[in-house]
Amino acid sequence: MINNYFYPLNFAGLGKEYSDYKSSFFTIIPVPFDSSTSYSPGARKGPLAIIDSSIQLEWFDDELELENYKLGIHTFNFLDTKIHPEKTVEILEKVVGKVLKDGKFPIVIGGDHSLSYAPIKSLKEKIGNFTVIHFDAHSDLRDEYQGSKHSHACTARRILDLDIPVVQIGIRSLTREDYNFIKSNPSKIKTFFAREIYNSTKDYPLIEKAIKTDNIYITFDVDVFDPSIIPSTGTPEPGGLGWYQVLEILKMLVNKRNLIGFDVVELAPNTSGPSEFIIAKLIYKLIGYITFKKEKKGEKIIKKEHKH
Ligand SMILES: [Mn+2]
C-alpha cells in the first residue's frame, strides 16, 4: 500500500479510526493567532509546531500503563485567523459550542492567551457553573492593555467578568493593582504564587480546597513553566514550575474534579529548544489522565489498540 509511506499530520499522528471526528472523544482545535501579543510575537506558530512535534510522541504511557489516545483524538484543520481578531474569537466560540453539543471534549491550542475567552464563554453558556484554573507566570488581570480589553494581559479579568471564579497557579509577575485586586476579591479569585508552591507539594490540598465547584476548566499558559524547560514563549519569567510538579497538579485536578475542557497557549516556537515537543507531551499526558480516570470508573472504552 502506497499509503504506508505517509503519516497523518494530526495530533499524535493517529490513524483514521482514532482520529475521526465522529468516533473521537477529544478534539484538538488549532488556532494560529497572536494578534494581541505585546512583547515578542510568534505564538501563531504554536499549533503547527506542537502538532508536528506530537508525531514523535511514544503512544504508550508508562505512568498510566495506557495508550492515551484510546478514546480518540480528532485534530481539526487550522482555524482561519486571517480575519478581524474579534471575529476569530467569535468563530472559535461557535466551534467549541458545536464540539460540546456533540458530547466531545474541547482542547484549544493557541495562539495567544486572548483566545481562551472563547471556549470559556461557550462552556459558560452550555454548562453554567465551573471554575477556571489558570496556570500562568502572569496574573493577566488588567482591565485594559494597550487600548484593548481583549489583550492577552486581560484574560483572567475577562473571565471574572463572566462571573466565573478563577484559581491561579504559578504567578510571579503582576502589577500592584493586580495584586490589590487579588487581595480584595477573595471570593472570586485565589492566587497561588510560584514562590509559595515552588518545590513543595504541601500546598496541593490548598489548591484543591480553593476550588468550590466540581466542574473545572484549565487555561494553561506555557510560561508557567520555568524558562529552563520552556524558553520558547513571548514573555518568559524566571522561577517557574517544573515538569513533574505541573503533572502532579494536573493529575490531582483531573482526579479530584471534573475537567470539562482545556487550552494551551503562548508557545512561540523557535529552533533553540525542545519546547514544542514538551508541550505536545503535556497535552498527551493530560489526555491520558482523563482517559485513565474514565477507564478506572468503568466507563466503556470500546476501541482496540493500534500499532505505530
Ligand atoms: Mn503569561
Side-chain angles (χ1 to χ4, degrees):
M1 276 290 282
I2 194 168
N3 256 344
N4 293 343
Y5 298 117
F6 299 86
Y7 65 81
L9 188 58
N10 60 33
F11 190 81
L14 300 170
K16 202 169 178 316
E17 66 173 315
Y18 287 92
S19 60
D20 243 13
Y21 181 73
K22 229 181 139 192
S23 56
S24 295
F25 176 63
F26 296 101
T27 62
I28 303 266
I29 309 165
V31 191
F33 172 90
D34 60 14
S35 298
S36 98
T37 307
S38 52
Y39 182 50
S40 71
R44 74 185 61 186
K45 294 189 172 142
L48 180 60
I50 291 169
I51 290 166
D52 181 36
S53 286
S54 75
I55 306 294
Q56 309 301 324
L57 284 165
E58 209 62 82
W59 283 335
F60 175 70
D61 188 313
D62 62 291
E63 180 193 5
L64 304 171
E65 297 180 340
L66 183 78
E67 275 73 19
N68 296 359
Y69 63 71
K70 267 179 144 181
L71 296 177
I73 307 170
H74 175 72
T75 306
F76 279 99
N77 290 336
F78 286 43
L79 196 79
D80 186 358
T81 55
K82 294 182 285 298
I83 44 176
H84 192 273
E86 277 173 32
K87 199 86 190 145
T88 299
V89 174
E90 242 179 77
I91 291 170
L92 179 56
E93 219 181 292
K94 278 190 199 144
V95 171
V96 174
K98 165 80 174 135
V99 164
L100 294 172
K101 199 168 154 243
D102 292 340
K104 301 181 189 298
F105 187 103
I107 301 170
V108 174
I109 304 186
D112 76 48
H113 213 159
S114 64
L115 291 172
S116 307
Y117 185 74
I120 290 167
K121 189 145 181 274
S122 214
L123 280 158
K124 175 81 185 170
E125 274 158 30
K126 292 272 178 323
I127 294 189
N129 208 18
F130 62 97
T131 301
V132 168
I133 316 298
H134 174 205
F135 288 82
D136 205 322
H138 311 89
S139 56
D140 291 355
L141 280 166
R142 285 179 160 96
D143 191 35
E144 197 182 305
Y145 192 61
Q146 296 176 335
S148 167
K149 285 203 165 256
H150 284 277
S151 158
H152 71 154
C154 310
T155 301
R157 191 59 173 266
R158 293 292 82 79
I159 297 167
L160 289 166
D161 284 353
L162 294 172
D163 218 14
I164 298 170
V166 173
V167 172
Q168 300 189 304
I169 296 171
I171 310 298
R172 54 199 187 275
S173 168
L174 73 173
T175 61
R176 179 179 285 278
E177 287 73 28
D178 283 14
Y179 188 79
N180 291 340
F181 182 89
I182 290 165
K183 294 294 164 199
S184 52
N185 290 283
S187 63
K188 296 181 184 163
I189 182 162
K190 170 73 187 159
T191 300
F192 292 90
F193 292 95
R195 64 185 151 73
E196 297 171 331
I197 56 172
Y198 176 67
N199 228 1
S200 140
T201 55
K202 70 175 177 0
D203 285 315
Y204 299 175
L206 295 179
I207 295 174
E208 196 213 329
K209 225 179 123 196
I211 306 167
K212 310 289 185 204
T213 60
D214 184 37
N215 288 331
I216 57 167
Y217 178 88
I218 291 175
T219 179
F220 193 99
D221 183 332
V222 304
D223 67 27
V224 75
F225 278 118
D226 192 77
S228 61
I229 301 172
I230 303 292
S232 301
T233 185
T235 42
E237 280 288 334
L241 307 190
W243 172 251
Y244 285 109
Q245 187 180 16
V246 165
L247 289 188
E248 283 304 316
I249 298 172
L250 291 177
K251 195 164 38 170
M252 180 271 285
L253 291 171
V254 167
N255 289 333
K256 304 278 188 181
R257 293 292 185 276
N258 180 39
L259 183 59
I260 55 177
F262 68 88
D263 64 65
V264 178
V265 294
E266 299 284 351
L267 178 83
N270 58 42
T271 50
S272 73
S275 304
E276 41 269 39
F277 177 74
I278 293 171
I279 296 306
K281 181 148 186 174
L282 182 88
I283 293 167
Y284 195 63
K285 288 293 292 189
L286 198 35
I287 286 173
Y289 291 145
I290 300 165
T291 305
F292 183 80
K293 182 184 178 186
K294 282 183 174 293
E295 197 167 58
K296 225 170 60 185
K297 273 175 34 191
E299 283 181 39
K300 222 172 170 187
I301 295 172
I302 22 172
K303 297 186 166 171
K304 46 187 188 317
E305 282 153 36
H306 82 320
K307 300 252 174 294
H308 239 309

